[in-house]
Amino acid sequence: MTTRGVLYVHSAPRALCPHVEWAVAGVLGARVQLDWIRQPASPGTWRAEFSWKGQTGTAAKLASALRGWQMLRFEVTAEPCPTAEGERYSATPELGIFHAVTGMHGDILIPEDRLRAALARSTRGESELEAEIAKLLGKPWDDELEPFRYAGEGAPVRWLHQVV
């Protein structure tokens, strides 16, 4: 069964760009050439988007192939198909990799055991339930990647600094 998805490379140093292409090509089994553009949210880095089609599990393979590079920010999505739910992988140098199963409308589906574990940690006073749920939904990754997503749409980036 095949599915399709998108690889979003939000930021990569120029020297890493060909290695990203080689890694993606290795997973897909075909030559890949990404259209790299400058990433204004992080001067000196580049971004690219790539739509792919492949067997179920391809998103996981792409995320695994890219996860070891410290200066890379990326997301990989896979649409649901008749034999599998959708997937989303997000990665940042600071947070590592996040994985979520997604339903047919793009909602994150959280398994019972992960919810129970979050509730247990909160009940024991190890963390706040709100923070646990935010992690299950990938909020820390979304917060870090959002400026890179927005900048990737060609919009000018304006950094605001708080004056004290």
Side-chain angles (χ1 to χ4, degrees):
M1 186 60 63
T2 62
T3 187
R4 61 185 178 176
V6 180
L7 165 64
Y8 303 93
V9 178
H10 293 297
S11 70
R14 188 68 179 154
L16 195 55
C17 294
H19 298 280
V20 169
E21 291 179 357
W22 296 330
V24 173
V27 170
L28 299 178
R31 186 173 183 272
V32 171
Q33 185 172 3
L34 303 178
D35 292 324
W36 295 97
I37 59 172
R38 293 185 186 277
Q39 173 53 275
S42 179
T45 65
W46 297 77
R47 69 173 316 280
E49 293 180 17
F50 181 73
S51 295
W52 56 267
K53 186 175 181 179
Q55 298 296 314
T56 55
T58 298
K61 290 176 183 175
L62 288 168
S64 292
L66 298 175
R67 73 181 284 175
W69 293 318
Q70 278 300 311
M71 299 181 71
L72 187 65
R73 287 178 182 84
F74 70 89
E75 291 181 277
V76 182
T77 63
E79 293 181 2
C81 65
T83 60
E85 300 286 357
E87 294 183 280
R88 177 179 141 212
Y89 293 86
S90 302
T92 73
E94 293 79 20
L95 298 172
I97 200 158
F98 167 78
H99 171 253
V101 174
T102 57
M104 62 187 250
H105 298 293
D107 296 322
I108 292 176
L109 307 176
I110 302 171
E112 280 182 51
D113 61 331
R114 294 185 70 197
L115 284 170
R116 290 181 199 281
L119 185 57
R121 284 189 295 275
S122 174
T123 301
R124 290 191 303 265
E126 297 172 8
S127 62
E128 296 292 323
L129 183 57
E130 185 176 344
E132 289 287 335
I133 291 172
K135 284 194 305 190
L136 290 172
L137 294 172
K139 186 175 181 341
W141 287 264
D142 286 339
D143 290 347
E144 187 171 329
L145 291 173
E146 193 59 31
F148 295 90
R149 293 174 183 145
Y150 179 74
E153 294 175 4
V157 176
R158 184 178 307 156
W159 298 106
L160 302 177
H161 301 281
Q162 182 177 5
V163 178
V164 180

